[in-house]
Structures are given as C-alpha cells and as structure tokens.
Amino acid sequence: MRMLWGCVSLLVVLAIVGLLAKTQLKHAGTTSTSATVSSNAASAAGLDPALAATPVRDLPSKVQDDLVRAMQAPPTRGDDSR
C-alpha cells in the first residue's frame, strides 16, 4: 500500500512539473524569436548594453568577430615579471 501511494504521488508530481515546463516553454518560445533585452535591464544586470541591444540572431557573428579581433590584438602585459 505504501508503495502504491509513493508511485501515485510521484506521477502527480511529474504531471505538475510537466505542465509547468510546458507553459514556460510555450511562453519562452513566443517571445524569444525576436526578443532583445532592454538597455536598462542589461545595465541593471551588469551586462554590456550594446550587446543587449543586439538581436539574438546576430549574436554568433558578433561573437566570431570579437574573437577574431581579440586573437589579432597583441597581448597586454600588466606585470614586469620577466
């Protein structure tokens, strides 16, 4: 009997979590296709506002450009350990 109640309660919890996940994913899917973060929210979170204004679709090319630029720049040495 105890095992039966354990299984039933586990199924109820899984159903609740599944419904919550379904509603969260449904809401996230409708807003993230063309979503951009506002500059006020980005500055409050400590992020770069210029990056936050970039649409989600442009991020891979921006990241690649930043990496290429960083790899081409000479390293700056702050200490005189040599």
Side-chain angles (χ1 to χ4, degrees):
M1 189 69 173
R2 183 183 242 179
M3 187 179 198
L4 179 68
W5 283 112
C7 290
V8 169
S9 63
L10 180 65
L11 289 176
V12 169
V13 168
L14 285 176
I16 291 171
V17 169
L19 288 174
L20 287 173
K22 182 179 177 182
T23 57
Q24 290 293 322
L25 288 174
K26 184 173 76 171
H27 290 299
T30 59
T31 60
S32 69
T33 54
S34 63
T36 57
V37 179
S38 68
S39 61
N40 292 338
S43 62
L47 300 173
D48 184 17
L51 181 63
T54 307
V56 176
R57 284 179 246 127
D58 294 339
L59 280 179
S61 63
K62 180 165 178 38
V63 170
Q64 184 177 6
D65 293 342
D66 289 344
L67 282 174
V68 168
R69 194 175 323 117
M71 290 174 64
Q72 291 175 349
T76 57
R77 308 243 183 226
D79 62 282
D80 296 326
S81 60
R82 289 190 190 189

